[in-house]
Amino acid sequence: MPHRSAVRSHALPLGALTAIVATDLAIGPDQVVISLVAITPMVAAVLLGRGATVVYGLLAVAAAALLGIYDRQYTAETTVAQTARLIGVTAGGVAALAACSIRQRRERQVVGMAAAQARDRAALDLAETLQRSLLTDPPQLSRVSTAARYRPATIGAHIGGDWYDAFAVPDGTTMVVIGDVAGHDARAAATMAQARGLLRGLAQSVVGSPAAVLTALDRALLDLGVGALVTITVATLDERGPDGSVRLCWSNAGHPPPALLAAEGRAALLERPVDRLLGVDESGGRVDHELRLTPRDTLVLYTDGLVERRDTSLDAGLAALLDRLRRSAGRSLDEVCDDLLAGLGDRHDDDVAILALRVS
């Protein structure tokens, strides 16, 4: 197949040269079409490489010189015109060689960009696979139902640093997490995996509240030189209350506030003083906040992609979130999550993670 392709590529410039020479011979020495042989290297420049273009350029000059003999172009009256023709054919060959060089350089650039895009796509696919493998289904608890959603950005890379998590901790409570590493690339996804693993490990050994766990995580990220900014909310759910309520304790490191849909249908943000995000420094303490969740209360943790838009303010996005929650009162947790995602539309430039919890 490669040999056949090469033959076909040579057929056009060789055929053009042959046709021009045959035409000149056929019409006789009284009609001169010698200059047309300059077409030959131009055709070769489009189809072949630099070496072949040089060869066809030399053939064109040789054909023009020989046809000049047949057409009696070396007399005193015609020598100047024939010389101009030969110079023109030679110049055409040089121009064809330059055009061929430009074409091959652009082809190499295209091939290089395609290879780079393929490598980037492979890296992004790997990162996306890693990210989705870490977003496991949250556990179903005795008094709390859970539902989670993750939607990648539809603009740009389809990966990022958003994640959610839920797992048991040694003190008998369940820890739930919603976090966001700055960035929308493979590096952000890798940093997210690192932060998630560190948090899980620290939560099993650090005795204390969510604020204590976040303090330890912040110190670990800084000591390891991770070099990323992370917003995160960490909370614990204690289901051991005698009245069917669930004790919620949370600490917020620069993350959007949790949203609460009360049993009676009232929706509100759990706006408390927000501590600094992770990855800046270790100065200052972190604060825990507490709340009792009663039966049929729904808590929604989310990342900023759910409420931030380029064409509107954050306050408007948060108001829209609360409005959708009010209209979802009485619906299942899965329907609540789906309604929230439906408000994003078909195009959004940030990842979105949602973790919803409802007291049974």
Side-chain angles (χ1 to χ4, degrees), residues 98-130:
C100 180
S101 300
I102 293 172
R103 174 182 63 83
Q104 289 189 316
R105 182 167 63 250
R106 289 179 177 175
E107 288 176 349
R108 288 193 296 269
Q109 290 173 345
V110 170
V111 171
M113 287 189 293
Q117 289 175 349
R119 290 192 297 270
D120 291 344
R121 185 68 261 170
L124 291 174
D125 288 344
L126 178 61
E128 185 175 2
T129 300
L130 170 65

Side-chain angles (χ1 to χ4, degrees), residues 11-27 33-34 36-37 39-40 63 67:
L12 195 54
L14 194 58
L17 180 61
T18 302
I20 294 168
V21 171
T23 300
D24 189 90
L25 295 176
I27 63 178
V33 294
I34 296 174
L36 294 179
V37 295
I39 296 174
T40 304
L67 287 174

Side-chain angles (χ1 to χ4, degrees), residues 8-18 39-41 43-44 47-48 56:
R8 285 196 296 267
S9 298
H10 281 278
L12 195 54
L14 194 58
L17 180 61
T18 302
I39 296 174
T40 304
V43 175
L47 301 174
L48 302 169
Y56 280 106

Side-chain angles (χ1 to χ4, degrees), residues 53 184 200-201 212 222 253 284 291 294 313 328 350 358:
T53 300
H184 301 92
R200 277 189 162 228
L222 291 170
L291 184 71
T294 58
S313 66
S328 298
D350 198 359
R358 177 174 292 166

Side-chain angles (χ1 to χ4, degrees), residues 54-305:
V54 171
V55 170
Y56 280 106
L58 294 175
L59 287 176
V61 173
L66 293 174
L67 287 174
I69 298 174
Y70 173 74
D71 291 331
R72 297 190 293 272
Q73 296 299 305
Y74 295 105
T75 65
E77 295 81 8
T78 59
T79 298
V80 174
Q82 176 64 5
T83 302
R85 292 189 192 98
L86 292 176
I87 293 174
V89 172
T90 302
V94 173
L97 181 60
C100 180
S101 300
I102 293 172
R103 174 182 63 83
Q104 289 189 316
R105 182 167 63 250
R106 289 179 177 175
E107 288 176 349
R108 288 193 296 269
Q109 290 173 345
V110 170
V111 171
M113 287 189 293
Q117 289 175 349
R119 290 192 297 270
D120 291 344
R121 185 68 261 170
L124 291 174
D125 288 344
L126 178 61
E128 185 175 2
T129 300
L130 170 65
Q131 183 175 20
R132 290 192 176 277
S133 69
L134 296 174
L135 299 177
T136 55
D137 292 334
Q140 296 301 317
L141 310 175
S142 59
R143 290 188 185 178
V144 179
S145 301
T146 61
R149 295 290 187 274
Y150 172 76
R151 178 180 289 185
T154 59
I155 302 173
H158 293 183
I159 59 172
D162 294 22
W163 90 96
Y164 58 80
D165 202 2
F167 51 89
V169 288
D171 66 0
T173 64
T174 298
M175 182 164 285
V176 294
V177 181
I178 192 80
D180 185 2
V181 176
H184 301 92
D185 51 20
R187 179 187 175 95
T191 302
M192 177 271 288
Q194 191 173 9
R196 176 185 182 273
L198 284 171
L199 177 60
R200 277 189 162 228
L202 291 169
Q204 301 302 318
S205 57
V206 173
V207 178
S209 63
V213 174
L214 279 178
T215 299
L217 176 61
D218 199 10
R219 185 180 306 114
L221 292 175
L222 291 170
D223 290 346
L224 293 173
V226 174
L229 300 179
V230 183
T231 69
I232 185 172
T233 295
V234 173
T236 55
L237 301 172
D238 190 344
E239 303 178 276
R240 294 169 294 190
D243 57 352
S245 65
V246 173
R247 175 178 171 269
L248 170 70
C249 180
W250 81 95
S251 184
N252 188 332
H255 204 75
L260 177 65
L261 176 62
E264 69 274 13
R266 178 177 52 86
L269 298 173
L270 300 183
E271 295 183 291
R272 304 290 190 274
V274 176
D275 301 326
R276 70 188 183 283
L277 68 169
L278 306 185
V280 179
D281 58 58
E282 297 181 64
S283 62
R286 296 189 179 276
V287 180
D288 288 305
H289 312 285
E290 291 190 15
L291 184 71
R292 281 283 173 180
L293 300 178
T294 58
R296 293 189 296 124
D297 282 350
T298 300
L299 180 71
V300 178
L301 306 176
Y302 55 93
T303 55
D304 57 5

